[in-house]
Amino acid sequence: MNAAVIIAGIAVWFTAGALLSWFARQNLGEGMSGYFLANRKVGGFISAMTYSATTYSAFMMVGLVGLTYSSGIGALGFEMTYLAATVILMVIFAPRYWAAGRLFNLVTPSELLSRRYESSLAGGVSAVLCLVMLIPYASVQLMGIGYLFEILSGGSIPFMAGMMIAAAVSLVFSWWAGLRSVALTDALQAIIMLSASLLLLYFISHGLFPDGFGAALASRPDLLKVTWSFPLFVGLTLPWAFFAVTNPQVVQRLYIPESVKSLRKMILGFSAFGFIYTILCVLFGLAAAAKLPGLERPDNAMALLLATVPMPLALLVALSIMGAAVSTMNSVILTLSSMFGRDVVKAFAPGISEEKELRICRFLIPVITVVCFFFAKLKLGLIAVLSSMASGGLLMQLPAILGVFFWKRATAAGAVSSMITGGIAVGYMYVRGMKPLGHWPPLWGLLLSGLVFVSVSLMTQRPKGTDSFMKSVSDSVNSHFGI
Amino acid sequence: MKRREKIWMLFALFYSVINIAVPFLFLKDTGSFGGAFLFWNLLTGAVLLAGVWITSGWNETAVDSEVLK
């Protein structure tokens, strides 16, 4: 595809997003809550779309397509498990996060740990863990765009240039008006992602495979068999299954719906979006495997598939992938900047004014964007594995998060020690390439983290306000949700 | 945690078991769309529909003032 056409497409798309950002800025609220949570006044549709666009990144159309291409239908099981687990967890956790956010005026997910465990160290450790683990996750979004545009343009748009464009757009959308801008641009991206994918499916079914998918895949029945090993399935799926409660960029979105009705709409809207989008991405992976067998780099499957479709459609799909990447990346960076300000800086300087706190957070948005850019330059491994490693590290917060709502005996020392030991163990095992007994690091890390959490909690004093905290949350959940 | 949530947790446990057991034990070698592909789609669809049911009991207490729509 001609580089000038791609750049023109990006310019049109960016202009539409920038206009939404400008609109969002007109009604920007004050303080941390205004900037990072849109004053907790987001309607159901926008909440659902921003949750979907934040969750579903370039990984879907690049990584998942590549994973399906190389390993078949196991990839569908992996992604569907994530979706079902997210809905299961949201039903339990969304009302509690939503209620706690309003009760205690929480801005970040880690702040909940600080409040419940009466320890700023608990929130600080969680925030640092998220910072360390989410840099690779945000970076793979840039890598996805870099690869995509390099291949689509036949090398005219180099890997680095594609990444720079994506980083710049992400920065503009997030920095200008915080979550109001990100939520509105996310909604735009989500609509483009779904529409472009449906159009691509229509073309593939009618243009590339006039006899249907079934006939096209008749020569590749291996792709429809479960060829994944059990340890691989567990290793990749386990961290993603708990994504909804351990990844701060999506947890923070549980604070934003303006009412219980909007929160429900968010969950159901996301469910529908995720179900359709997952099936589409898996079908694209299968289509690429049937049409373009023998690729050396599976992550390039989507880009090469697009080279076989009409140019306007290829451009639209490429922009939708860029939208998916940008919407995830700027949400991650926005959340990380709020966590650094609220859970790290404020822990050291509790007397800091909210205005100054917000200034520091906003300063961090470009800083984190640049860090992600340089990390992405390293081009480490397969995109799917990198993303999963990030979630694997974040999974180490799970015992502490469960303790917040469901275990009165949980203590700050237990929470802090479990996150530190689990985080170090998982990081070490990934770096050394260790898979004890054939199982992936998140499984061992979670076992260790859970064990440390329970043991240390039982040996230390629980926070004085535990009963009061739990009663407040329980009463609020009961009055708003009837549960 | 009330009765409805307890039922939900049991349902989640049941889902977790069959989500892995059925494809890995019984559909591993079925090389058609009627195998693991269909199973994982149907099972996930069932979970999502159950989600519609379980959240239908949530009270709907709207908060006034300007909303980002």
Side-chain angles (χ1 to χ4, degrees):
Chain A
M1 195 185 297
N2 189 313
V5 172
I6 297 176
I7 298 292
I10 292 172
V12 171
W13 166 80
F14 172 71
T15 305
L19 283 172
L20 281 174
S21 271
W22 175 80
F23 169 75
R25 187 160 174 81
Q26 307 307 303
N27 299 302
L28 182 63
E30 287 185 359
M32 292 286 283
S33 181
Y35 191 79
F36 290 108
L37 300 178
N39 278 333
R40 303 176 207 273
K41 286 175 182 168
V42 183
F45 177 73
I46 299 288
S47 294
M49 292 300 103
T50 186
Y51 195 97
S52 303
T54 298
T55 297
Y56 290 119
S57 61
F59 166 76
M60 294 295 283
M61 290 284 266
V62 180
L64 184 63
V65 169
L67 202 58
T68 309
Y69 178 95
S70 59
S71 63
I73 212 67
L76 175 76
F78 156 62
E79 196 60 37
M80 283 298 188
T81 303
Y82 157 73
L83 175 61
T86 296
V87 173
I88 287 169
L89 289 171
M90 281 173 97
V91 166
I92 300 292
F93 284 90
R96 290 171 171 83
Y97 270 106
W98 186 86
R102 276 164 168 70
L103 276 172
F104 307 115
N105 199 26
L106 305 174
V107 173
T108 72
S110 302
E111 203 180 352
L112 178 70
L113 299 184
S114 300
R115 181 70 181 72
R116 159 68 174 86
Y117 293 118
E118 296 172 9
S119 157
S120 53
L121 185 61
V125 168
S126 160
V128 171
L129 184 68
C130 292
L131 271 166
V132 172
M133 293 297 169
L134 282 173
I135 297 293
Y137 185 68
S139 302
V140 294
Q141 309 308 320
L142 290 179
M143 289 166 65
I145 295 305
Y147 285 132
L148 181 75
F149 286 128
E150 188 175 54
I151 294 169
L152 273 182
S153 66
S156 301
I157 301 178
F159 178 75
M160 289 288 290
M163 290 208 310
M164 284 172 88
I165 292 169
V169 173
S170 162
L171 183 60
V172 170
F173 287 178
S174 56
W175 189 82
W176 209 4
L179 187 92
R180 277 184 68 83
S181 164
V182 167
L184 285 176
T185 52
D186 277 2
L188 172 71
Q189 324 295 14
I191 291 165
I192 295 175
M193 284 157 68
L194 207 54
S195 315
S197 303
L198 287 167
L199 283 173
L200 181 61
L201 180 71
Y202 179 82
F203 177 80
I204 286 176
S205 331
H206 291 79
L208 292 188
F209 303 117
D211 298 329
F213 269 116
L217 283 169
S219 59
R220 298 292 308 274
D222 55 303
L223 288 172
L224 295 170
K225 293 179 182 173
V226 184
T227 53
W228 285 35
S229 71
F230 184 66
L232 174 69
F233 189 83
V234 174
L236 280 182
T237 305
L238 185 65
W240 284 72
F242 292 97
F243 185 98
V245 289
T246 57
N247 275 54
Q249 71 277 17
V250 289
V251 175
Q252 196 171 40
R253 274 158 176 70
L254 301 178
Y255 294 149
I256 67 172
E258 48 96 28
S259 66
V260 173
K261 189 177 173 183
S262 294
L263 184 65
R264 182 170 185 256
K265 269 190 188 171
M266 180 172 103
I267 296 172
L268 302 185
F270 163 75
S271 302
F273 183 100
F275 191 62
I276 297 168
Y277 198 52
T278 300
I279 294 174
L280 290 172
C281 290
V282 169
L283 289 176
F284 297 150
L286 294 173
K291 190 79 185 166
L292 310 158
L295 295 182
E296 200 173 310
R297 290 185 64 94
D299 283 342
N300 290 346
M302 172 51 83
L304 292 168
L305 185 67
L306 290 183
T308 67
V309 307
M311 192 272 285
L313 178 58
L315 181 62
L316 183 65
V317 175
L319 290 176
S320 84
I321 298 172
M322 185 169 181
V326 166
S327 58
T328 297
M329 186 182 166
N330 61 16
S331 299
V332 168
I333 292 174
L334 194 68
T335 298
L336 288 181
S337 66
S338 70
M339 292 171 83
F340 192 85
R342 178 55 56 105
D343 302 305
V344 179
V345 173
K346 200 156 187 181
F348 286 105
I352 191 174
S353 71
E354 191 164 333
E355 191 187 353
K356 196 168 182 183
E357 186 187 1
L358 182 56
R359 270 209 306 274
I360 293 170
C361 292
R362 291 191 70 185
F363 170 73
L364 280 165
I365 294 173
V367 172
I368 298 172
T369 307
V370 171
V371 171
C372 290
F373 179 81
F374 281 103
F375 190 88
K377 271 179 71 181
L378 298 174
K379 293 188 184 181
L380 297 172
L382 270 174
I383 285 177
V385 177
L386 256 183
S387 298
S388 196
M389 184 188 102
S391 290
L394 295 176
L395 185 65
M396 300 308 114
Q397 300 172 96
L398 183 63
I401 291 167
L402 291 174
V404 165
F405 297 116
F406 300 112
W407 194 37
K408 286 188 176 180
R409 197 58 195 80
T411 70
V416 170
S417 54
S418 70
M419 288 187 283
I420 291 176
T421 50
I424 290 173
V426 166
Y428 181 79
M429 282 189 277
Y430 266 114
V431 170
R432 299 294 301 267
M434 291 168 65
K435 286 180 187 167
L437 301 176
H439 284 284
W440 286 46
L443 179 68
W444 299 112
L446 185 59
L447 288 174
L448 178 67
S449 173
L451 189 68
V452 169
F453 180 64
V454 172
S455 322
V456 175
S457 288
L458 289 175
M459 287 187 287
T460 47
Q461 282 285 330
R462 68 177 190 157
K464 286 177 183 157
T466 299
D467 289 334
S468 151
F469 174 93
M470 288 196 157
K471 189 175 182 317
S472 306
V473 174
S474 176
D475 288 349
S476 178
V477 167
N478 188 266
S479 69
H480 282 100
F481 296 85
I483 52 177
Chain B
M1 195 174 271
K2 290 197 172 172
R3 189 170 164 270
R4 220 172 222 234
E5 281 196 322
K6 285 178 183 165
I7 293 171
W8 185 248
M9 294 305 291
L10 281 175
F11 175 70
L13 193 64
F14 174 69
Y15 160 78
S16 306
V17 173
I18 62 166
N19 181 54
I20 293 177
V22 173
F24 278 86
L25 292 178
F26 306 112
L27 302 171
K28 205 170 168 56
D29 297 317
T30 308
S32 72
F33 280 104
F37 180 86
L38 182 66
F39 173 78
W40 270 320
N41 279 316
L42 287 179
L43 183 64
T44 307
V47 172
L48 304 188
L49 287 177
V52 175
W53 168 75
I54 192 114
T55 58
S56 65
W58 291 1
N59 297 336
E60 296 179 346
T61 317
V63 174
D64 57 357
S65 69
E66 77 169 92
V67 176
L68 189 61
K69 282 183 174 146

